[in-house]
Structures are given as C-alpha cells and as structure tokens.
Amino acid sequence: MAISLASACTFSAVAHGNDEVEDAIEYRQAVFHLVAAHFGQMGDMIKGKKDFDAVEFQYRANSLDALSKMPMEGFTVPGSDKGDTKAKPAVWEKPALFEEKMTKFQKDSSALAKAAQSGDMDTIKPVFMEAAKNCKSCHTDFKNR
Ligand code: ASC
C-alpha cells in the first residue's frame, strides 16, 4: 500500500520512539490546521460572510484537494494513538471505517476542486455542503472535541 511506503520515508526512525510518535501527531495536526484554514475561508464565501472570489475559491479547493491525501500518513505510526492527540481510539479500533471516511474526504475534496472550476456558486455550494457534512460525521466518530 502506498501509504506504508510513504510513512517509511517520512517517519524513518528505526525504533518507534517518542520523537517519531510526536512527529506523526504534529504532522497530522499541521495538515488538519491547513485543511481547516482553507475550508473555513471557503465556508465564509459560501455563507456570504466574505465576497465570493472564484479564483481564490479555486485556489483553496485545489489546496484542500492536495491536503486531503496527506493526513492518513500521520495515523500510521505505531504508538501515535497515545499522546497529545484528539484522535479517538476508534481510529485504530475501526481502521476500515476510518479509511473509508478518509477516502470520502479525498473524493469530496476532488469533487469540490472540480466544481470550483465552474466559478459558479450554485454549482459549488451543494458540493461544499456535502463535504462539510462528511467532515462533521468523521469528527463525531473519530475526533475528541
Ligand atoms: C470547518 C472545521 C470543521 C468543519 C466542520 C464541517 O471549517 O474546522 O471541523 O468545517 O465544521 O462540518
């Protein structure tokens, strides 16, 4: 699986020591911070809190699309279920469901990037709302508040 190869490259310590675990937790949190930043700015445009700018929206949707492929790697390091993390034990107890939701996140993100090419709010909005719904659903199952 591609992800095991990727994780072998990035978190390359031989022993699964504390540093590697901390690195993995910080890595996935960093990715999700960027996800939230881009998603939040798009959300403000969707809600009309901020003027819709099609070029900016496309940039953010493309960024989200790239970011959506990244967090999974940070969950593959053994021992990273413990520590300074809001991840629920369910991530490791229900790996198939977690992977399914992560794949959904990726599909939603690429659908949003595609919809953003229209530059049309009526086309973009339902796709954004579907993605937001799935963000929330995954957080309910897998993230502590
Ligand atoms: C965000 C953010 C989330 C999601 C979620 C969508 O901007 O930080 O956790 O959107 O609220 O339902």
Side-chain angles (χ1 to χ4, degrees):
M1 199 169 68
I3 199 68
S4 354
L5 189 65
S7 79
C9 294
T10 306
F11 306 109
S12 60
V14 175
H16 294 299
N18 270 340
D19 283 359
E20 195 191 9
V21 166
E22 276 169 31
D23 283 356
I25 292 170
E26 280 176 19
Y27 168 85
R28 67 203 189 207
Q29 289 175 345
V31 175
F32 281 125
H33 274 300
L34 294 178
V35 165
H38 289 293
F39 205 80
Q41 290 293 314
M42 286 190 280
D44 285 353
M45 286 190 242
I46 297 279
K47 290 179 223 154
K49 278 197 194 171
K50 180 178 159 159
D51 286 345
F52 176 59
D53 177 329
V55 173
E56 179 186 341
F57 197 99
Q58 180 77 74
Y59 156 70
R60 297 196 183 286
N62 288 346
S63 300
L64 185 74
D65 189 18
L67 287 163
S68 70
K69 275 86 176 173
M70 299 179 193
M72 197 62 191
E73 181 179 350
F75 291 97
T76 59
V77 171
S80 70
D81 55 328
K82 301 270 171 7
D84 189 12
T85 178
K86 288 183 183 165
K88 288 184 179 177
V91 169
W92 293 273
E93 288 165 6
K94 298 177 185 172
L97 185 63
F98 185 64
E99 201 161 325
E100 189 185 301
K101 298 229 170 177
M102 200 60 98
T103 301
K104 189 86 181 77
F105 172 39
Q106 293 169 6
K107 286 188 178 153
D108 286 345
S109 299
S110 69
L112 187 60
K114 190 155 186 285
Q117 289 171 12
S118 69
D120 170 41
M121 186 48 93
D122 292 341
T123 303
I124 292 169
K125 194 169 178 175
V127 183
F128 181 88
M129 296 314 285
E130 174 67 16
K133 190 183 84 186
N134 294 328
C135 292
K136 206 168 179 185
S137 149
C138 191
H139 290 172
T140 302
D141 289 348
F142 295 110
K143 186 189 174 196
N144 285 314
R145 296 168 57 83

